[in-house]
Amino acid sequence: MTNVSQAANGSQTRSSGGGFDLGRLLLEGRAFFALIAIIIIFSTLSPVYFSANNFLTMSSHVAIFGLLSIGMLLVILTGGIDLSVGSTLGFAGVFAGFLMQGVSFEFFGVVVYPPVWAVVVLTCALGAFVGAINGVLIAYFKVPAFVATLGMLYVARGVALLMTDGLTYNNLGGSPELGNTGFDWLGFNRLFGVPVGVLIMAAVAIAAMLALTRTPFGRWVYSTGGNARAAELSGVPVKRVQVTVYVLSGICAAIAGLVLSSQLTSAGPTAGTTYELTAIAGVVIGGAALTGGRGNVRGTLLGAFVIGFLSDGLVIIGVSSYWQTVFTGAVIVLAVLLNSIQYSGRKKKRPAPSDAQTSSSQQRTATWRADTAVESPAEESASQPQQ
């Protein structure tokens, strides 16, 4: 009877597991279905929304959020958070504008105008430096990620304001006679009809996807977010991984700053304000867990497109910017709620022991008790003093 009941239970489990679960499909693919719903709704409300040109324009806006979200995903996968990406974006844009305006060396009496490729490399190095400071504070000095990155948020924004005295660098196109033209190419030019910013986001996304799925570094990132202590005992360089993800987040923020400054052909110290919240929203909407260890690049990109297409759609139909903030906040809360439902549903109960396991454990307990009863009189007699 026991074998028959176990076989029946096993067949029921397989039949229930192999069935089509619509609720789970909608829950796991919520970012994709939300994006489709947004496109359908706004295409109905506005005749200009559903067009190839408008989609490409909106995608160029999404590229900024997508780059920030990819860097934020790497940090969140390790169980951390980076609140400084918006300020790093603004700082990187100001730094690029400073270089494009010419670097004056008063001691030598010369002004150097670096080419665009040098501006890009130096700006990315600046983003990596800011991220390295965050990573060292968190990994080696044990400063909470929230506190460390919040402090860097103010530091980076303050330095950007000091560099410009609160003003904006304008006309960053460069000059042919100075040899530094082409900066606006990042924001305005297109390759094969696709904006360069979107291609940059796609390249960064592919690199991040390959790193997370095809390299030991990706396994280290997920294991660090799952259980940092267990990962460290298993030989994972947890501290090095934590520093690396913050460095990569800083580089992604710097690239986003370059693309945004190129699109605006200007660099202001207040650029990127509250963008860190948008990046977190994209990661959460994409299905990543804020506790770490769960998430992927594909979902994060979908989350960034949901935020970008929703914001641009509200602008197109003439909704007030205040209501845009309300809708964005509601979407974030809903995404966190769905994440909680999804990951709490994955916690399976421990299977009850079978009859054979129960009988064997009972036999072991009875044997142990019998041995204890035999040995206890001898131990008592040995412990008594001799007369």
Side-chain angles (χ1 to χ4, degrees):
M1 288 296 294
T2 303
N3 296 332
V4 174
S5 62
Q6 289 179 357
N9 292 333
S11 62
Q12 289 177 1
T13 303
R14 288 192 297 269
S15 62
S16 61
F20 179 73
D21 192 348
L22 179 60
R24 183 175 180 180
L25 176 64
L26 294 175
L27 188 61
E28 294 183 352
R30 58 187 175 275
F32 174 76
F33 293 118
L35 181 61
I36 297 300
I38 288 172
I39 293 175
I40 294 175
I41 293 172
F42 286 109
S43 298
T44 305
L45 297 177
S46 174
V48 300
Y49 187 87
F50 193 84
S51 63
N53 189 34
N54 185 51
F55 283 155
L56 290 175
T57 302
M58 292 191 297
S59 297
S60 64
H61 299 160
V62 173
I64 308 299
F65 303 144
L67 289 168
L68 293 178
S69 297
I70 292 171
M72 185 68 72
L73 171 68
L74 298 176
V75 173
I76 288 178
L77 285 176
T78 61
I81 197 75
D82 192 355
L83 300 179
S84 65
V85 292
S87 296
T88 304
L89 181 151
F91 186 21
V94 166
F95 183 73
F98 170 76
L99 295 177
M100 290 295 297
Q101 296 291 328
V103 182
S104 177
F105 294 94
E106 297 181 357
F107 181 79
F108 299 100
V110 296
V111 179
V112 178
Y113 294 90
V116 173
W117 67 265
V119 172
V120 173
V121 171
L122 292 174
T123 304
C124 290
L126 176 66
F129 176 71
V130 174
I133 295 176
N134 286 330
V136 169
L137 289 174
I138 294 165
Y140 291 95
F141 292 94
K142 304 301 180 183
V143 179
F146 184 89
V147 177
T149 57
L150 180 63
M152 188 55 62
L153 178 151
Y154 287 104
V155 171
R157 187 71 67 186
V159 174
L161 290 168
L162 288 172
M163 289 181 62
T164 62
D165 288 331
L167 302 178
T168 300
Y169 290 119
N170 296 315
N171 302 323
L172 299 183
S175 178
E177 58 270 14
L178 299 177
N180 63 343
T181 56
F183 185 74
D184 55 351
W185 183 82
L186 295 173
F188 285 100
N189 277 30
R190 296 189 177 191
L191 291 177
F192 310 106
V194 181
V196 175
V198 177
L199 296 177
I200 293 175
M201 180 189 67
V204 173
I206 293 173
M209 190 180 303
L210 293 177
L212 289 176
T213 58
R214 303 285 181 170
T215 65
F217 172 74
R219 294 190 291 271
W220 293 348
V221 169
Y222 281 104
S223 60
T224 300
N227 191 326
R229 180 57 180 166
E232 190 172 11
L233 293 175
S234 302
V236 176
V238 173
K239 293 182 180 179
R240 195 169 67 194
V241 169
Q242 289 175 334
V243 174
T244 303
V245 294
Y246 281 98
V247 169
L248 294 176
S249 178
I251 293 175
C252 289
I255 297 174
L258 288 169
V259 175
L260 180 61
S261 299
S262 178
Q263 290 178 354
L264 301 176
T265 64
S266 63
T270 59
T273 303
T274 71
Y275 276 23
E276 58 275 355
L277 303 180
T278 306
I280 296 173
V283 175
V284 172
I285 294 172
L290 291 175
T291 54
R294 298 187 183 99
N296 55 67
V297 177
R298 182 182 63 256
T300 298
L301 286 180
L302 285 173
F305 272 92
V306 167
I307 292 291
F309 278 29
L310 175 63
S311 300
D312 288 351
L314 293 174
V315 171
I316 289 175
I317 64 175
V319 176
S320 170
S321 60
Y322 306 127
W323 279 108
Q324 296 177 29
T325 306
V326 172
F327 285 128
T328 303
V331 168
I332 295 172
V333 173
L334 180 60
V336 174
L337 177 61
L338 293 177
N339 279 7
S340 300
I341 296 173
Q342 177 183 359
Y343 295 128
S344 62
R346 289 186 178 181
K347 296 180 180 179
K348 297 180 180 179
K349 297 181 180 179
R350 297 179 62 181
S354 61
D355 296 339
Q357 293 174 343
T358 304
S359 60
S360 62
S361 63
Q362 290 176 353
Q363 290 176 0
R364 288 194 299 269
T365 304
T367 303
W368 176 80
R369 289 178 178 176
D371 294 339
T372 305
V374 171
E375 293 176 357
S376 58
E379 294 176 354
E380 291 177 359
S381 62
S383 62
Q384 292 178 358
Q386 296 180 359
Q387 299 293 334

